[in-house]
Amino acid sequence: MHPYIQDNIVAVATPPGRGALAIVRLSGKSLVEMYKDFTRKSPKNRYALYSKIYHPRKNNVLLDEAVITYYKSPNSFTGEDVVEISCHGGNAVKGAIVSAALEGGARIAEPGEFSLRSFLNGKMDLVQAEAVAALISSKGRLSSEISLEHLSGKASRTLKSLKLRVLDL
């Protein structure tokens, strides 16, 4: 894993393969310029915009028509600026958007790096970060429910309460 220096990262957030839609997610210190390069428009925080998606470095090269959303830090999953592009799910389309982000200065995210950044930026604790992984890999309703409870912070609040009681003792 790369050291945490708030560089821009990119990854496809949907499962591998072909589907109707895919999500390409970026996170980093400042993604306003990347958003502008992709859309030729200024971002509005937490606003989903249907737009043409252009290559950030190659003028007038159209990559897709998609929904793009900008989340300004610290009000995002990672606590950094986040851009999510809901594009068509073909491998060529999502691959072109990821390649364009790489050419725009991002790097491929390591597995779990979005959750790691969320943890490092105080958006979730370690129990919640582990709950994300457990929720993603859960195979049944009960395991999903337990993971969602942990993700909501219920287990963390219980542990914190127990810790305070032990310290008081």
Side-chain angles (χ1 to χ4, degrees):
M1 174 119 0
H2 297 273
Y4 181 57
I5 55 173
Q6 289 184 309
D7 53 343
N8 294 334
I9 58 172
V10 63
V12 177
T14 46
R18 191 178 63 190
L21 296 173
I23 297 172
V24 176
R25 182 175 293 150
L26 294 105
S27 185
K29 187 169 178 127
S30 178
L31 293 176
V32 171
E33 289 306 314
M34 181 83 71
Y35 181 99
K36 287 180 182 178
D37 289 343
F38 274 126
T39 64
R40 315 265 164 81
K41 297 172 182 135
S42 293
K44 294 179 191 172
N45 190 34
R46 296 180 168 265
Y47 179 77
L49 173 72
Y50 180 74
S51 176
K52 292 181 188 293
I53 305 297
Y54 296 96
H55 193 291
R57 299 291 178 248
K58 297 177 182 170
N59 286 340
N60 298 320
V61 173
L62 182 64
L63 301 174
D64 196 13
E65 291 185 11
V67 175
I68 184 168
T69 309
Y70 171 75
Y71 300 90
K72 180 161 180 48
S73 69
N75 299 315
S76 69
F77 176 76
T78 62
E80 303 172 331
D81 282 0
V82 170
V83 171
E84 287 188 355
I85 302 170
S86 298
C87 60
H88 290 95
N91 290 328
V93 173
K94 60 188 172 189
I97 293 172
V98 169
S99 292
L102 295 173
E103 289 180 41
R107 68 168 171 79
I108 294 289
E110 299 287 336
E113 190 169 1
F114 286 88
S115 295
L116 173 65
R117 288 179 177 215
S118 182
F119 170 73
L120 292 173
N121 287 316
K123 300 298 282 185
M124 65 172 67
D125 62 28
L126 191 56
V127 174
Q128 290 170 307
E130 289 293 330
V132 171
L135 185 59
I136 291 168
S137 65
S138 66
K139 292 181 175 39
R141 186 182 58 79
L142 183 59
S143 63
S144 294
E145 288 175 3
I146 292 168
S147 296
L148 282 170
E149 280 189 5
H150 290 340
L151 185 58
S152 75
K154 185 177 180 180
S156 298
R157 287 188 299 275
T158 301
L159 290 171
K160 184 177 182 180
S161 172
L162 288 171
K163 177 184 172 184
L164 291 174
R165 288 172 49 197
V166 168
L167 290 174
D168 281 346
L169 231 126

